Amino acid sequence: MSAAKKGISTIGILAIVAVVLFFWVKGTYNGLVSKDEAVKSAWAQVENVYQRRADLIPNLVATVKGYAEHESSTLEAVVNARAKATSVNVDPSNLSEEDIAKYQAAQGELSSALGRLIAVVENYPDLKANQNFLELQAQLEGTENRITVERQNFNSVAQEYNTSVRSFPANIVAGIFNFDQKGYFKSAEGADVAPKVEF
């Protein structure tokens, strides 16, 4: 085989390798973009259900206020926790463990305040029988269930993305194009310990 033919063969092989490499990088990059967008979409849905809960709270507080005027400190705690929870914003393109933990902590404070409010309601039989309160309470319970489902969905989508970002050889493309791992929702501290019940 002549030197010219060897040169053309080498150029042809290099061209084929370059084309294959280009399409591999392109496919891997587009796959990571798609999974990143899925994580952002799942995060948006988490925020939507938390916002739904935040939107129910003013009506709940107003209903309770009409019956339990002297429970103002409990009502104030709920309003303040709501304000704090709605003020915590997380950039969906940077869903780090720390940012999600801050968001989760603010939402946890709101959950706690709502729990205290519902406990106070037990002292007011007329309020417990109020149709508006019962409907709001049912909507709130349904929203809490949605929050759980959406958090699980977010964690599942984030896990799929994180697996792709860390898997070889996709991790090379992820490193070049700055695809960072996403954080997860974690259970609240102490949730793994059963409460002690004494009679």
Side-chain angles (χ1 to χ4, degrees), residues 24-194:
W24 173 78
V25 169
K26 177 184 172 216
T28 303
Y29 177 84
N30 288 341
L32 290 171
V33 167
S34 176
K35 289 176 181 175
D36 186 46
E37 288 302 315
V39 170
K40 289 176 185 174
S41 175
W43 178 256
Q45 192 54 33
V46 167
E47 288 183 319
N48 283 342
V49 291
Y50 273 119
Q51 184 61 51
R52 175 177 162 68
R53 177 175 74 170
D55 292 344
L56 289 171
I57 290 171
N59 292 334
L60 185 67
V61 168
T63 302
V64 172
K65 195 175 194 178
Y67 285 86
E69 203 55 54
H70 64 279
E71 301 289 351
S72 61
S73 64
T74 304
L75 295 172
E76 223 173 273
V78 171
V79 170
N80 291 337
R82 179 189 181 272
K84 184 176 180 183
T86 56
S87 71
V88 175
N89 295 316
V90 177
D91 177 10
S93 61
N94 182 27
L95 293 167
S96 67
E97 294 280 344
E98 298 81 24
D99 289 343
I100 291 175
K102 283 183 213 169
Y103 186 83
Q104 188 174 352
Q107 296 298 336
E109 287 178 31
L110 180 54
S111 294
S112 239
L114 282 171
R116 288 189 299 275
L117 178 65
I118 298 301
V120 162
V121 167
E122 294 299 317
N123 299 327
Y124 299 92
D126 290 344
L127 176 57
K128 285 178 14 182
N130 178 288
Q131 190 58 40
N132 190 29
F133 175 77
L134 292 173
E135 186 177 315
L136 285 167
Q137 188 176 18
Q139 286 184 29
L140 197 57
E141 287 170 2
T143 300
E144 292 296 334
N145 290 335
R146 289 180 188 167
I147 288 170
T148 300
V149 168
E150 294 305 334
R151 283 173 47 153
Q152 289 171 343
N153 181 50
F154 172 81
N155 280 349
S156 177
V157 171
Q159 179 185 14
E160 184 179 336
Y161 168 84
N162 287 341
T163 301
S164 294
V165 166
R166 294 183 60 216
S167 297
F168 181 80
N171 64 340
I172 297 168
V173 175
I176 292 170
F177 293 104
N178 297 320
F179 284 95
D180 297 321
Q181 290 187 58
K182 306 294 185 186
Y184 296 104
F185 276 100
K186 295 181 178 176
S187 61
E189 204 170 299
D192 57 340
V193 179

